[in-house]
Amino acid sequence: MQANKISEIRTIPAEQEQLQLAFAAFNEASEQLSGVYQELQHQVTQLTRELALANGELHRQLIAKEDLSRQLSFLLNALPGGVLALNENECIEQVNPAALTMLGEPLLGLSWHQVVQERLSPTAIINEWYVAQRETAEQRRIRIESSALDSTGRRILLVNDITEAYVIQEKIRRNQRLTAMGEMAANLAHQLRTPLATALLYANHLGSDALTSDERQKFATKTVERLHHLEHLTKDMLRFVKGETTQLERVLVSDLLAELQQVIEPQLIPLNLQLMVRDYSQAESLMTNHQALCGAMINLLENAMQVSSPNDRIILTGRVEGESIVLSVHDDGPGIETALQERLFEPFFTTRAEGTGLGLAIVRGVIQSMGGTVQINSLPDTGSEFVVCLPRNKGD
């Protein structure tokens, strides 16, 4: 009995020691947990501070973007030109008020192709269109430019109303033409005076009873020649003022050269002149005004004929040079001084007493209207060459 009590007494201190060890471990764990908790609190505080800073920066960026968006919206709405944003399916996803004014409503969500088909009609100039105003039935002229496609297939269209600018441009052209007509009228009066006076003189002689039949016939012929000269001068003036009506057709260069040879050769035979045709056109063709081009080349051939002497040659050539068709007329005449070469294309300037001074001016006007150029290669006593250069694909 006493031995059991001694055993129990020994067990109690052992259990107390274990409890003390357990409390010590618990205290150590508590301290560690407290340290970790404090560290977590510190990190949370740091993260909260960083998050607040990040939120503040994001807020400032958001305000800046909203301000930029308002500015862009203001500019877009204030622009006098129209702006349309097209998505990858070519549908209108954004539009400003100016575009709505020019093209009419509605626009958002519509296919751009549909808008073009229903509201626009093309002009003769690329990227320019006519658009009818529904309210006033007035036809306005607009120009449409397109940006390049972005990576998603979207693009921006810029629409400008050029109606007023076009009207002003037409007025300027009209005033320039009226000025040219005034200058030509003054020059024409001088040009008409001499042949008209000569024709009147011959006509007065026809009324004389002393004339023989042969003399009367001679004066009648000279009178008709002077009247034809007046008619030719008047026609040249009208052609220069009005210009040529553009009627495009495909013309084979070889056929054009053959036609010119057929027209001009009978006129050369009485003058003992020779026409040589050199065709290097390689079966190329032109989309051009056949009648106007043929008339311009005949003018050059007649000009060469008038400065040539018996037994001289006139060379008509057609060739291809890069993206151009080149037609040239060469003569063996006296040549042209360098100082006079450019003036030859001025209306009413001529070096011949019987010239009207309009032939070469008409040639330059016709060729330039076809998108081409004409130039002279000449030196005194070496003959002259008039070179016409036309784009190969004109009108395609």
Side-chain angles (χ1 to χ4, degrees):
M1 186 71 175
Q2 187 175 0
N4 290 336
K5 289 182 179 179
I6 293 172
S7 176
E8 289 177 356
I9 292 171
R10 289 176 179 176
T11 303
I12 291 173
E15 291 179 350
Q16 289 179 346
E17 184 178 355
Q18 289 179 354
L19 286 173
Q20 289 176 351
L21 291 175
F23 277 118
F26 176 78
N27 289 333
E28 183 179 356
S30 296
E31 289 177 358
Q32 289 180 352
L33 287 174
S34 178
V36 171
Y37 178 73
Q38 290 177 356
E39 180 65 24
L40 286 174
Q41 278 188 324
H42 177 72
Q43 291 181 3
V44 168
T45 302
Q46 183 67 24
L47 290 174
T48 302
R49 188 181 300 112
E50 292 177 357
L51 182 60
L53 291 174
N55 285 337
E57 181 63 25
L58 288 174
H59 184 65
R60 283 191 295 271
Q61 291 180 4
L62 180 61
I63 292 175
K65 289 181 179 180
E66 288 177 348
D67 185 57
L68 179 61
S69 177
R70 283 193 298 269
Q71 293 181 19
L72 291 176
S73 297
F74 172 75
L75 290 175
L76 190 63
N77 293 332
L79 280 176
V83 179
L84 299 97
L86 306 185
N87 62 20
E88 64 277 8
N89 297 319
E90 290 290 294
C91 290
I92 301 170
E93 61 181 9
Q94 191 173 357
V95 63
N96 73 337
L100 292 172
T101 301
M102 284 185 273
L103 300 176
E105 298 187 53
L107 286 176
L108 281 177
L110 296 182
S111 164
W112 174 242
H113 179 73
Q114 177 185 352
V115 174
V116 171
Q117 292 292 322
E118 295 178 354
R119 308 184 192 182
L120 304 180
S121 56
T123 67
I125 301 176
I126 190 170
N127 293 336
E128 293 188 8
W129 305 80
Y130 291 118
V131 55
Q133 301 293 318
R134 299 176 183 176
E135 295 81 4
T136 62
E138 178 186 7
Q139 192 175 58
R140 308 289 294 180
R141 191 182 185 103
I142 62 173
R143 181 172 182 83
I144 302 176
E145 300 287 351
S146 173
S147 69
L149 294 174
D150 66 7
S151 58
T152 62
R154 290 178 167 85
R155 63 188 178 114
I156 301 295
L157 299 181
L158 301 179
V159 186
N160 290 302
D161 190 332
I162 60 171
T163 306
E164 301 302 328
Y166 191 80
V167 170
I168 293 173
Q169 187 179 30
E170 286 299 310
K171 287 181 178 179
I172 292 174
R173 290 176 181 170
R174 182 180 178 185
N175 289 337
Q176 289 175 341
R177 187 170 294 278
L178 289 174
T179 301
M181 287 179 65
E183 293 174 354
M184 282 189 289
N187 284 282
L188 184 63
H190 175 74
Q191 294 287 331
L192 290 175
R193 183 170 54 189
T194 300
L196 182 59
T198 305
L200 288 173
L201 180 63
Y202 290 149
N204 286 333
H205 283 312
L206 289 174
S208 175
D209 294 333
L211 292 179
T212 64
S213 177
D214 290 342
E215 290 174 333
R216 193 179 302 279
Q217 181 63 39
K218 177 182 177 182
F219 282 122
T221 301
K222 289 184 177 180
T223 301
V224 171
E225 287 176 355
R226 294 299 87 198
L227 292 175
H228 279 311
H229 179 74
L230 289 171
E231 181 186 27
H232 181 66
L233 182 63
T234 305
K235 286 182 177 180
D236 278 352
M237 184 198 69
L238 292 175
R239 288 173 61 193
F240 180 75
V241 173
K242 293 181 179 179
E244 297 290 339
T245 302
T246 303
Q247 297 176 345
L248 300 181
E249 56 183 299
R250 186 163 293 282
V251 179
L252 196 65
V253 177
S254 297
D255 291 346
L256 176 65
L257 296 176
E259 181 180 357
L260 293 172
Q261 181 179 12
Q262 184 180 7
V263 171
I264 207 69
E265 240 177 4
Q267 302 179 46
L268 301 180
I269 295 174
L271 302 175
N272 197 22
L273 298 174
Q274 180 185 2
L275 177 67
M276 297 183 63
V277 179
R278 296 175 178 174
D279 184 4
Y280 308 115
S281 62
Q282 305 172 15
E284 282 287 341
S285 60
L286 288 165
M287 183 65 75
T288 187
N289 186 330
H290 180 199
Q291 182 180 357
L293 179 58
C294 190
M297 295 305 299
I298 288 174
N299 258 339
L300 294 179
L301 289 167
E302 288 179 343
N303 187 70
M305 181 178 65
Q306 290 160 357
V307 300
S308 297
S309 302
N311 299 318
D312 281 353
R313 296 183 310 167
I314 296 175
I315 303 174
L316 173 63
T317 305
R319 63 183 184 274
V320 178
E321 288 187 2
E323 294 301 316
S324 301
I325 300 293
V326 178
L327 304 171
S328 65
V329 176
H330 182 275
D331 63 65
D332 295 329
I336 306 167
E337 294 181 8
T338 304
L340 297 178
Q341 289 181 15
E342 185 60 28
R343 291 203 64 196
L344 287 178
F345 294 102
E346 295 179 5
F348 296 106
F349 178 81
T350 180
T351 57
R352 296 184 292 109
E354 295 297 318
T356 66
L358 287 174
L360 292 178
I362 293 171
V363 170
R364 169 172 279 186
V366 168
I367 298 305
Q368 287 181 341
S369 72
M370 298 176 179
T373 60
V374 56
Q375 64 181 21
I376 308 171
N377 298 326
S378 179
L379 290 173
D381 303 320
T382 61
S384 302
E385 182 182 36
F386 286 83
V387 181
V388 172
C389 185
L390 294 168
R392 290 172 68 175
N393 298 320
K394 182 64 179 175
D396 282 359

